[in-house]
């Protein structure tokens, strides 16, 4: 499979028009092969030349369009799960054909092929580069079409897979695109609420439904109330993270990690990336945030030795939440977040970029404590919080660590990263 070309890949699945059971088995085989292909092996799989070659084969009737569409949709799905970026498709003749077919099929008054329309929408979005503007006519077709498909509520495996693909494709629509908020908020909210009662979605589909709303918070503050208070975001994400953490093999060997990542680990990574963004932008929280932070702390603890990619995302979640300044410092203390940042900071090497980020965390924490005292708000409570943080400092030897940085700083690159303007006393928590 290392150097397989598009025609050879087609040849492995020569018949997509067999009986339903045979087709299902062949698709399962194809999914298995795609799953075994790592990110780096999938990334160069389709080039602009291969897309255009595919387009020529279709035009000359040498290859059925439905067959090409099915294959491209499956590969696009796996690419999206592996977060493999593809910008090539947006510059191809095939993309233009997809747009024309979408518009023509949607405009039919009779004999409209709903399944073809859904397949076209999914394939088009799964391959589309997320940073490019989408044709407005196509966007107006894709949004209602895929939302309607994602609203299917039975628990059949085939239905769950269809819903999963539709929700994943919807998440490829860039956040800067203007969508019909009245439509998507009503329907995504219904999808999430129905699953909370009936558990009809796959884990990936549920994560994708939440992500669709969460990544739009920075562009629409009104979404916060629905996400946090009506849909109970923190509680639901905490539960999902805990369930996924129980399914991940945290002790896998390095070569096994490179070869094939488990589906649960991929979904866990997607949740953490989404929460990094959401914690930075959401300013409306309730008491359920403690559940969420406890879950992320637990994931950090099991991931810190063998899965630094995941543990660092946990740290980024904490830092973004603190940077946002809407999470109470008492919560950071109670959930063990401050302990974790302390521990990670003193373990860093002097040239590690993480030191800068972690020191900024404590600098901002210091500023917040000082502001509270100057404002005269909750002085007694703030003193208690400061005392506990100071005790943590002493326990971890944090002040000695900062002083040691001052000694070694002239010999390391950290000086340039901090712009030569460090006042080290600022990194000792204000008392």
């Amino acid at each position: 499979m290392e150097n397989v070309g598009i025609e050879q890949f087609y040849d492995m699945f020569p018949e997509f028009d067999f009986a339903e059971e045979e087709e299902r088995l062949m698709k399962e085989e194809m999914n298995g092969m795609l799953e075994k292909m790592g990110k780096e092996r999938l990334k160069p799989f389709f080039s602009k030349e291969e897309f255009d070659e595919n387009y020529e084969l279709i035009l000359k009737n040498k290859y059925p369009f439905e067959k090409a569409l099915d294959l491209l949709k499956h590969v696009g799905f796996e690419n999206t799960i592996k977060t493999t970026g593809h910008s090539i498709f947006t510059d191809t003749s095939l993309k233009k054909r997809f747009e024309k077919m979408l518009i023509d099929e949607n405009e039919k008054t009779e004999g409209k092929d709903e399944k073809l329309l859904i397949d076209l929408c999914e394939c088009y979005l799964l391959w589309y580069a997320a940073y490019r503007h989408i044709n407005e006519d196509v966007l107006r077709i894709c949004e209602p079409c895929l939302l309607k498909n994602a609203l299917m509520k039975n628990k059949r495996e085939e239905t769950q897979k269809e819903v999963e693909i539709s929700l994943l494709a919807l998440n490829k629509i860039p956040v800067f695109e203007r969508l019909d908020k009245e439509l998507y908020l009503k329907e995504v909210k219904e999808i999430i609420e129905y699953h909370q009662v009936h558990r009809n979605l796959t884990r990936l589909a549920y994560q994708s439904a939440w992500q669709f709303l969460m990544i739009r918070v920075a562009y629409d503050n009104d979404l916060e109330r629905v996400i946090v208070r009506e849909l109970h975001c923190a509680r639901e994400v905490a539960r999902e993270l805990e369930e996924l953490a129980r399914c991940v093999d945290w002790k896998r060997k390095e070569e096994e990690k490179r070869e094939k990542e488990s589906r649960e680990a991929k979904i866990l990574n997607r949740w953490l990336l989404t929460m990094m963004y959401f914690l930075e932008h959401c300013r409306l929280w309730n008491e359920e945030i403690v559940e969420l932070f406890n879950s992320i702390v637990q994931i950090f603890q099991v991931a810190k030795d063998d899965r630094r990619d995941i543990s660092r995302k946990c740290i980024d979640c904490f830092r973004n939440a603190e940077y946002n300044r809407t999470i109470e410092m008492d919560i950071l203390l109670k959930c063990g977040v401050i302990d974790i940042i302390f521990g990670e900071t003193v373990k860093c090497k002097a040239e590690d970029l993480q030191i800068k980020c972690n020191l900024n965390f404590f600098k901002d924490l210091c500023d917040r404590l000082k502001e509270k005292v100057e404002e005269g708000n909750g002085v007694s409570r703030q003193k208690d919080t400061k005392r506990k943080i100071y005790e943590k400092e002493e326990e971890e030897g944090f002040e000695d660590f900062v002083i040691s940085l001052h000694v070694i700083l002239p010999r390391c690159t950290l000086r340039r990263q901090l712009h030569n303007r460090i006042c080290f006393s600022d990194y000792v928590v204000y008392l």
Side-chain angles (χ1 to χ4, degrees), residues 299-310:
I299 289 172
F300 172 85
Q301 297 296 356
V302 296
K304 63 182 179 180
D305 295 327
D306 298 293
R307 292 301 304 266
R308 295 297 293 170
D309 59 323
I310 291 179

Side-chain angles (χ1 to χ4, degrees), residues 3 12 26 45 59 117 172 176 196 219 223 305 342:
N3 298 307
M12 295 176 186
M26 282 186 290
F45 185 72
L59 285 180
L117 200 57
K172 292 297 293 290
F176 49 75
Q196 288 174 347
Y219 292 81
L223 286 174
D305 295 327
F342 271 141

Side-chain angles (χ1 to χ4, degrees), residues 23 27 33 50-51 73 76 79 101 131 154 163 168 171 193 206 214 231 258 317 319 353 377 390 403-404 412:
E23 181 179 356
K27 287 181 179 179
M33 294 177 70
E50 284 171 323
F51 272 120
K73 187 169 83 168
N79 279 341
M101 287 189 70
Y131 56 84
N154 72 61
V163 170
L168 200 70
N171 270 289
E193 287 179 328
Y206 193 46
M214 286 178 171
L231 296 176
R258 285 196 299 267
C317 285
R319 283 202 301 248
L353 282 170
N377 297 331
Y390 181 69
I403 292 170
S404 72
C412 72

Side-chain angles (χ1 to χ4, degrees), residues 64-244:
F65 180 79
E66 294 77 9
K67 185 175 177 181
L69 181 64
D70 211 354
L71 176 62
L72 287 168
K73 187 169 83 168
H74 278 78
V75 178
F77 177 85
E78 287 300 325
N79 279 341
T80 303
I81 295 299
K82 296 175 190 292
T83 61
T84 306
H86 281 272
S87 59
I88 299 297
F89 175 74
T90 52
D91 300 317
T92 63
S93 303
L94 192 60
K95 184 215 68 165
K96 295 175 184 176
R97 179 181 172 89
F98 274 21
E99 290 176 340
K100 185 177 187 308
M101 287 189 70
L102 272 165
I103 294 168
D104 290 348
E105 192 65 34
N106 187 63
E107 288 178 349
K108 288 182 180 178
T109 54
E110 295 182 3
K112 185 183 297 185
D113 189 335
E114 296 290 348
K115 184 182 182 307
L116 175 62
L117 200 57
I118 291 168
D119 286 342
L120 283 166
C121 288
E122 290 173 343
C123 192
Y124 180 84
L125 290 177
L126 287 171
W127 281 99
Y128 206 87
Y131 56 84
R132 297 280 193 94
H133 274 287
I134 297 176
N135 179 304
E136 288 187 13
D137 293 332
V138 171
L139 194 60
R140 282 195 292 268
I141 298 169
C142 288
E143 182 190 4
C145 179
L146 295 185
L147 283 170
K148 179 181 176 181
N149 198 51
L151 276 166
M152 294 190 295
K153 294 174 181 176
N154 72 61
K155 294 185 178 182
R156 288 192 309 116
E157 185 177 343
E158 295 81 0
T159 302
Q160 287 185 327
K161 187 64 178 178
E162 288 182 45
V163 170
E164 184 179 81
I165 295 174
S166 288
L167 286 170
L168 200 70
L170 279 166
N171 270 289
K172 292 297 293 290
I173 298 175
V175 294
F176 49 75
E177 296 286 7
R178 291 187 178 181
L179 297 176
D180 183 347
K181 178 185 171 182
E182 186 176 345
L183 171 67
Y184 79 69
L185 183 56
K186 174 180 178 295
E187 302 205 343
V188 175
K189 185 170 180 279
E190 183 179 343
I191 289 167
I192 290 173
E193 287 179 328
Y194 189 84
H195 175 77
Q196 288 174 347
V197 177
H198 301 281
R199 301 295 166 195
N200 64 306
L201 299 176
T202 65
R203 285 193 176 115
L204 177 59
Y206 193 46
Q207 189 278 329
S208 298
W210 275 107
Q211 181 176 314
F212 186 82
L213 294 181
M214 286 178 171
I215 62 175
R216 285 167 171 79
V217 164
Y219 292 81
D220 188 344
N221 293 333
D222 293 338
L223 286 174
E224 294 181 9
R225 179 185 55 80
V226 176
I227 293 172
V228 175
R229 294 184 176 172
E230 295 183 27
L231 296 176
H232 302 281
C233 156
R235 182 193 68 196
E236 286 294 302
V237 176
R239 183 184 55 76
E240 288 293 307
L241 289 175
E242 288 168 8
E243 289 184 5
L244 286 164

Side-chain angles (χ1 to χ4, degrees), residues 22 46 68 114 164 239 267-268 317 343 374:
E22 291 173 320
F46 286 99
E114 296 290 348
E164 184 179 81
R239 183 184 55 76
I267 301 171
L268 180 66
C317 285
E374 290 174 349

